[in-house]
């Protein structure tokens, strides 16, 4: 009996579970290691914050998927990997041995990056933790006008800031004061100038203050910036850049300079061919792939196929991500910015497009597929 361990319930692994439900793998004992019994889809979190979705509309239940795929579900967190011994240590003390390992845990946020953030910041990842704590923000906003500061000028920071203003601002927007602290760069670094300008226009219309400085400390009532300025803050929301899980250090796996799993064209580790990785935790060495849910989702079918072939001793197939991808950035209200390369546009139609794509993804995995006959 070959042993397959799937670490993480991420976007790519739901494809693996669906594929195993459609076509069982005889002679394989599989385990899914995840601390959460559902996957909250990151692409719909801004819509949840804005009040457009209930949390159940944004989530894929993993337990029925695992059961249909005949995969054991271990509700725990991976705390260590020993690539030489082929073992994964879990937070409940168990040790899972594997013949084949796949990692799809997504990225994390470095809680020690900014002084005071660990103790006082509301981090958007893990999403499950953020979702549970967000109810407290809503209750606080009902009691008084809030000063909310979002730290991070990437796509997540922009979408979260817009969603918070929409949800908490009240009919005239005056019930909350939202500030976006972007760091050394402006909003949406890496995006074309036209897309960045559209984002700035939407922020201005929403009366969100944008500060292009780094946050260096989170205090009880303020944020300290690198130029010495203080920003009044009741709720510091941390939308920091992606960082690699610390437990990958010491695993023996080849990692890139930032600590993510180094992988090649077949999604295998460059140092250990029996280890696969996909999504934000992986770093393609042959071709740069953005850390985006879009690419994690699209890696899923290739990962499912190559895991099946690897376990059967077959030839693996390369997967090359597309050069460009469509980005749909929600703007709090039911509007979105659409961006494809240098082209961009915005409107309610873009939000409807995003809503249709996101709901279709959730529907595809909400009901486990039936085995092929």
């Amino acid at each position: 009996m070959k042993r397959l361990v799937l670490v993480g319930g991420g976007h790519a692994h739901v494809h693996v579970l669906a594929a195993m439900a459609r076509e069982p793998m005889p002679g394989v004992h599989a385990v899914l290691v995840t601390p959460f019994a559902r996957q909250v889809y990151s692409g719909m979190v801004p819509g949840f914050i804005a009040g457009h979705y209930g949390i159940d509309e944004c989530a894929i239940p993993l337990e029925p998927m695992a059961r249909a795929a005949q995969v054991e579900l271990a509700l725990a967190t991976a705390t260590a990997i020993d690539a030489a011994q082929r073992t994964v240590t879990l937070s409940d003390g168990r040790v899972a041995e594997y013949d084949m390992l796949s990692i799809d845990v997504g990225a994390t946020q470095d809680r020690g990056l900014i002084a005071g953030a660990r103790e006082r910041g509301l981090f958007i990842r893990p999403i499950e933790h953020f979702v549970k704590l967000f109810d407290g923000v809503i209750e606080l906003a009902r009691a008084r006008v809030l000063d909310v500061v979002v730290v991070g000028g990437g796509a997540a920071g922009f979408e979260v800031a817009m969603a918070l203003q929409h949800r908490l601002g009240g009919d005239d927007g005056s019930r909350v004061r939202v500030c976006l602290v972007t760091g050394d760069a402006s909003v949406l670094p890496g995006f074309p100038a036209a897309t960045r300008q559209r984002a700035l226009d939407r922020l201005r219309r929403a009366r969100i203050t944008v500060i292009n400085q780094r946050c260096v400390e989170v205090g009880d009532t303020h944020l300290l910036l690198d130029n010495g300025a203080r920003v009044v803050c009741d709720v510091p929301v941390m939308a920091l850049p992606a960082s690699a899980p610390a437990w990958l250090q010491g695993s023996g796996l080849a990692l890139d300079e930032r600590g993510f799993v180094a992988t090649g064209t077949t999604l295998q580790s460059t140092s250990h061919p029996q280890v696969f990785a996909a999504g934000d935790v992986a770093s393609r060495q042959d071709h740069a792939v953005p850390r985006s849910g879009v690419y994690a989702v699209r890696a899923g079918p290739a990962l499912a196929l190559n895991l099946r072939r690897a376990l059967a001793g077959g030839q693996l197939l390369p997967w090359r991500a597309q050069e460009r991808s469509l980005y749909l950035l929600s703007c709090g209200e039911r509007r979105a910015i659409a961006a494809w390369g240098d082209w961009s546009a915005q409107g309610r139609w873009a939000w409807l497009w995003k809503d249709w794509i996101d709901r279709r993804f959730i529907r595809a995995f909400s009901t486990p597929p039936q085995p092929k006959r």
Side-chain angles (χ1 to χ4, degrees):
M1 184 73 72
K2 291 187 177 179
R3 301 159 299 181
L4 168 64
V5 176
L6 306 171
V7 176
H11 302 343
H13 274 174
V14 294
H15 278 282
V16 174
L17 294 175
M20 293 177 69
R22 285 191 297 268
E23 296 185 59
M25 291 194 280
V28 175
H29 176 257
V31 178
L32 172 64
V33 177
T34 174
F36 309 116
R38 64 185 180 183
Q39 179 205 125
V40 178
Y41 179 44
S42 59
M44 296 179 77
V45 169
F48 162 75
I49 296 171
H52 303 319
Y53 307 119
I55 193 60
D56 290 339
E57 295 178 89
C58 311
I60 297 170
L62 294 176
E63 192 278 332
M65 291 283 293
R67 185 170 59 248
Q70 301 177 48
V71 172
E72 178 186 345
L73 181 61
L75 290 176
T77 303
T79 59
I81 291 174
D82 187 329
Q85 297 298 317
R86 299 191 184 186
T87 61
V88 180
T89 302
L90 311 187
S91 56
D92 59 11
R94 286 182 289 174
V95 176
E97 299 179 341
Y98 65 84
D99 297 297
M100 208 68 62
L101 171 67
S102 182
I103 308 170
D104 181 26
V105 294
T108 62
Q109 293 178 292
D110 185 352
R111 280 160 164 70
L113 187 64
I114 299 173
R118 185 188 303 276
E119 298 79 15
R120 304 179 184 93
L122 175 58
F123 287 81
I124 63 173
R125 289 181 181 272
I127 294 174
E128 277 284 355
H129 294 170
F130 173 83
V131 165
K132 291 175 181 176
L133 293 171
F134 186 62
D135 285 342
V137 177
I138 295 174
E139 289 300 316
L140 194 60
R142 291 189 179 122
R144 60 188 177 90
V145 176
L146 286 183
D147 286 291
V148 179
V149 181
V150 179
V151 180
F158 167 76
E159 289 188 293
V160 167
M162 295 293 292
L164 287 166
Q165 177 64 52
H166 180 76
R167 181 70 174 275
L168 305 179
D171 292 338
D172 61 356
S174 64
R175 295 294 304 167
V176 67
R177 291 182 289 263
V178 178
C179 177
L180 179 61
V181 175
T182 65
D184 295 327
S186 185
V187 177
L188 302 182
F191 280 78
T195 304
R196 296 199 306 272
Q197 188 57 54
R198 288 186 186 277
L200 286 169
D201 289 343
R202 297 310 308 177
L203 290 163
R204 190 178 304 111
R205 291 187 186 187
R207 291 185 289 182
I208 294 173
T209 302
V210 178
I211 301 177
N212 300 141
Q213 298 288 334
R214 286 187 301 109
C215 175
V216 296
E217 184 179 352
V218 178
D220 290 328
T221 60
H222 68 276
L223 268 61
L224 179 64
L225 306 183
D226 60 348
N227 63 354
R230 292 174 179 245
V231 179
V232 175
C233 180
D234 299 307
V235 182
V237 180
M238 313 309 291
L240 302 177
S243 59
W247 48 262
L248 286 173
Q249 299 294 329
S251 65
L253 295 172
L255 308 177
D256 73 0
E257 66 280 358
R258 295 181 57 197
F260 295 98
V261 180
T263 60
T265 183
T266 57
L267 306 177
Q268 289 169 289
S269 160
T270 57
S271 60
H272 293 77
Q274 68 277 6
V275 177
F276 292 74
D280 287 354
V281 76
S283 176
R284 286 284 291 267
Q285 302 301 290
D286 60 307
H287 178 70
V289 176
R291 287 192 166 81
S292 164
V294 173
Y295 290 94
V297 168
R298 292 187 174 175
L303 177 64
L305 177 61
N306 277 348
L307 283 173
R308 184 181 298 272
R309 289 191 171 208
L311 287 162
Q315 182 177 357
L316 307 190
L317 297 179
W319 177 71
R320 185 175 179 85
Q322 65 191 72
E323 294 294 331
R324 293 187 296 180
S325 180
L326 173 69
Y327 287 91
L328 294 166
L329 304 170
S330 58
C331 297
E333 58 180 341
R334 287 181 167 87
R335 300 178 66 90
I337 298 171
W340 172 267
D342 291 333
W343 172 86
S344 67
Q346 61 181 310
R348 295 191 181 278
W349 61 269
W351 189 88
L352 291 171
W353 191 4
K354 174 177 171 56
D355 176 67
W356 178 79
I357 291 172
D358 290 344
R359 288 184 184 273
R360 183 182 63 171
F361 176 74
I362 295 294
R363 282 197 305 271
F365 299 102
S366 293
T367 303
Q370 297 298 312
K372 289 184 179 179
R373 298 186 183 277

